[in-house]
Amino acid sequence: MNDGGQRRYGPLGKALVIIPTYNEAENIRPIVSRVRAAVPEADILIADDNSPDGTGKLADELAAGDGQVQVLHRKGKEGLGAAYLAGFRWGMEHGYGVLVEMDADGSHQPEELPRLLTALKSADLVLGSRWMPGGRIVNWPKNREFLSRGASTYSRLLLGVPIRDVTGGFRAFRAETLEGLGLAAVSSQGYCFQIDLARRAVEAGFTVVEVPITFVEREVGDSKMSKDIVVEALWKVTAWGVESRANRFLGRKPS
């Protein structure tokens, strides 16, 4: 609703923190405990891709002991984007007003969740940003930092999105924002999934806000980053950028 040009945002509703997992047996208990302590009013959905290391079984044990923890068992490893999309659908079907993306490995600090949720009171999407004033990274090798900064800068410039950390995965969405992003057409993974949702939000005219976060490199388990994820992001962002510029030149709306 607008009032003199100033949009009014409704109440947020109940929050669901979606945590995708694949072989995170060493991390799942501590991250769930930290989320429950940081935002005790929020529920948690663990979306497990049939982890061989037993993460799904541990998640079931957590859910059995806590009514605010739910588990979505998926048939196999299908990628981060597919896991989040399944989590979004589950959350919206169950009436949640806020859907949060968060990694299981401790790189996203649950203690910073209240800051994201507070910012969402006057926004459609809030991004936790490593690359804005106040944001920082801990224990990352220089090549990872270069890759992440470079991907965000390349995406921002090519797509024309005014976001410093386009690839970050610590995010809070209003449910109505997700409903307006055309999720049925999203098939990207990894970096590319995050870029895709961010550019869709900007193109749809949603208010996107960044808040600074501290990103900490995982201490246990293996990173899911791969060459294929980087290559996918490079060619898809390039294709989106070319399409966006062509649409602007021809006066067409984004597809």
Side-chain angles (χ1 to χ4, degrees):
M1 181 182 297
N2 290 314
D3 181 17
Q6 183 66 41
R7 178 173 174 183
R8 290 181 180 176
Y9 288 90
L12 292 176
K14 194 168 181 63
L16 179 70
V17 180
I18 303 168
I19 304 177
T21 56
Y22 185 77
N23 288 347
E24 297 288 357
E26 295 176 284
N27 291 314
I28 192 61
R29 287 188 184 277
I31 200 66
V32 166
S33 177
R34 289 173 65 190
V35 172
R36 293 289 287 115
V39 281
E41 70 280 6
D43 289 351
I44 297 171
L45 177 66
I46 301 167
D48 185 65
D49 277 7
N50 196 22
S51 299
D53 73 345
T55 301
K57 182 176 182 295
L58 292 174
D60 285 337
E61 293 174 2
L62 290 169
D66 187 339
Q68 287 182 248
V69 178
Q70 304 292 329
V71 185
L72 180 62
H73 291 283
R74 292 162 43 74
K75 61 183 180 181
K77 188 177 182 182
E78 297 179 341
L80 182 70
Y84 272 130
L85 290 173
F88 292 156
R89 286 192 296 269
W90 190 96
M92 289 188 284
E93 287 170 0
H94 286 79
Y96 288 91
V98 176
L99 292 306
V100 177
E101 294 183 14
M102 197 178 73
D103 287 349
D105 61 13
S107 56
H108 300 148
Q109 306 300 291
E111 295 75 20
E112 295 182 319
L113 260 173
R115 187 187 312 159
L116 272 68
L117 296 176
T118 296
L120 194 62
K121 292 179 180 179
S122 56
D124 299 299
L125 165 60
V126 175
L127 311 179
S129 178
R130 298 159 291 185
W131 313 130
M132 69 180 297
R136 69 191 187 101
I137 55 173
V138 177
N139 296 332
W140 246 18
K142 285 298 181 181
N143 64 319
R144 282 292 302 277
E145 180 178 352
F146 177 80
L147 176 62
S148 182
R149 283 185 181 271
S152 277
T153 300
Y154 182 73
S155 301
R156 181 175 67 250
L157 295 177
L158 196 63
L159 301 177
V161 293
I163 299 171
R164 297 177 182 88
D165 194 347
V166 189
T167 65
F170 195 14
R171 302 179 168 192
F173 297 83
R174 287 178 177 263
E176 55 265 35
T177 304
L178 287 170
E179 291 169 354
L181 294 186
L183 295 182
V186 175
S187 61
S188 309
Q189 299 299 327
Y191 268 155
C192 202
F193 175 78
Q194 307 298 3
I195 298 167
D196 197 358
L197 293 197
R199 63 123 187 165
R200 285 171 182 267
V202 171
E203 290 177 352
F206 288 117
T207 299
V208 181
V209 172
E210 295 185 86
V211 297
I213 62 166
T214 296
F215 183 97
V216 180
E217 175 68 341
R218 68 161 63 231
E219 294 183 357
V220 295
D222 297 321
S223 172
K224 308 303 189 293
M225 181 58 61
S226 70
K227 181 180 178 181
D228 288 344
I229 289 174
V230 175
V231 170
E232 179 202 26
L234 180 61
W235 78 259
K236 280 198 171 183
V237 168
T238 302
W240 291 331
V242 171
E243 179 185 25
S244 176
R245 290 167 188 269
N247 286 339
R248 288 199 297 268
F249 179 76
L250 297 173
R252 297 186 306 214
K253 292 183 178 180
S255 58

